[in-house]
Amino acid sequence: MLIPFILVSALFPLWGFANDITNPLVKAFKDIFLISNTQSSLVQFAFYLGYGVMAIPAALFIRRFSYKYGIVLGLGLYAVGALLFIPASIYGDFNYFLAALCILTCGLALLETTANPYILSMGSPQTATKRLNLAQAFNPVGSLLGMFVASNLILNNLHVAKFRAAEKAAHPEYAQMLPSVVDGTLTDALQQFAVTNPVQHQLMQSADLATIRTPYVVIALVVICLLFVYLFYRLPNTQLVASDKRNQALKPLFIRLINNKPYREGVVAQVFYVGAQIMCWTFIIHYGMAEVGLSAAEAQHFNIIAMCFFLASRFLCTYLLNWLKAGLLLMWFAIAAACLMCVVVFIGGKVGLYSLVATSACMSLMFPTIYGIALNGLKADASIASAGLVMAIVGGALMPPLQGMIIDANPIAFLSAEQASFLLPMLCFVAITIFAYRVVFIHKQ
């Protein structure tokens, strides 16, 4: 199973790349299209909506065919969604980008619904969670590449970034276009520029959208090449197929899953985890800019550091699972993450930013461990059960817009808008702590 394990593990960087090249687009689209934080966070809503829409159909497709064809179809949808950035950038419509992202993540839903249970099935059930943690360790490699591309090939090359740099006299050619930048915000200045220089603003917008488009077209070509590799390689079929009609029927299967408390609670915990992860990685840019005065590209560098922590911690956690129960380790990491969020909310500044970066080390364990605990002992039901856990990724669609609304509303007088918004991921980590406690002390897993 070594070569199949390597081939399937090679898929994990693909959705890491997609996730983390997309996170900075929330801020980029806000400046390019001159929209609110709530509207721009629809990028994450569209991105993670694909998981909610596609997870169950993906599981049924895999159940009807095989893991291999789930991978092939997932790669196909991934490529189509990425290529749709071409017409979206040409027409310059924000909604077209949202549709392209949703189609792309339908492909990611197929890949994750396939790859995670496939890895769990490649060996002993006793080492399944450890094996999935190892495979998931390659996910941050793609995330780091996505962050690097976002920071160096997108954010630094956007004209709106040069407008922001004009405030610091780094681009004096833009400074003359910003008469209100001293008295107002950059958004105010850009809005004024769009009114007074509509043709120049449209040209600038078109150039920025072309800059965003290019990495998506390149990754689409890479994915198409990989599609043919998986299509022609004979991957082993490790699916457990139930032998009688009672187990093959879907209704009893769903009833069994709903009645399985560790699985049911695991799906809920996964919703909170993915929501917390996406909020921390998306709004670190807002936090760095508002609380510390960084540029978008500088704040993205902190996101890259956070991902390095995430990657190193994931390998460390895989090692620690040789001696510690997965549920116990999950509980301690969730408590630590909640405490770090308290620092982000109530102290702020550089200390808060550093705590936000450190939170990624705590998050590294969470997704694969919740996944492994929830699927423990499900055997033939695992392929459908995994769909519920992948569907839980829709938490990444639901919670970032809520955080964006908190930033826009600024509801707590003694906290900045960005600080107050991180109360939401703090509550998510509390929910994960409760799940881990129940796993260890009530379900005895």
Side-chain angles (χ1 to χ4, degrees), residues 375-445:
L375 292 187
N376 184 37
L378 293 182
K379 298 181 180 179
D381 295 344
S383 62
I384 295 293
S386 68
L389 290 158
V390 171
M391 186 181 290
I393 295 174
V394 78
L398 301 175
M399 294 187 190
L402 292 177
Q403 190 172 11
M405 290 171 66
I406 293 172
I407 294 174
D408 286 334
N410 194 10
I412 302 177
F414 62 90
L415 295 175
S416 72
E418 283 72 21
Q419 285 176 275
S421 73
F422 280 91
L423 285 168
L424 196 54
M426 183 184 75
L427 293 175
C428 291
F429 289 125
V430 170
I432 297 165
T433 302
I434 294 170
F435 165 73
Y437 175 86
R438 288 180 59 80
V439 166
V440 174
F441 297 106
I442 296 177
H443 304 315
K444 307 291 185 182
Q445 279 190 217

Side-chain angles (χ1 to χ4, degrees), residues 4 35 61 66 125 132 134 152 171 192 203 219 244 268 274 294 310 325 330 369 427 432 435:
I35 53 181
F61 179 86
S66 66
L132 184 57
L134 178 59
N152 293 280
H171 288 271
Q192 181 176 333
L203 290 172
I219 193 62
D244 58 74
V268 175
V274 177
L294 304 176
F310 186 85
K325 285 187 176 181
L330 175 64
T369 302
L427 293 175
I432 297 165
F435 165 73

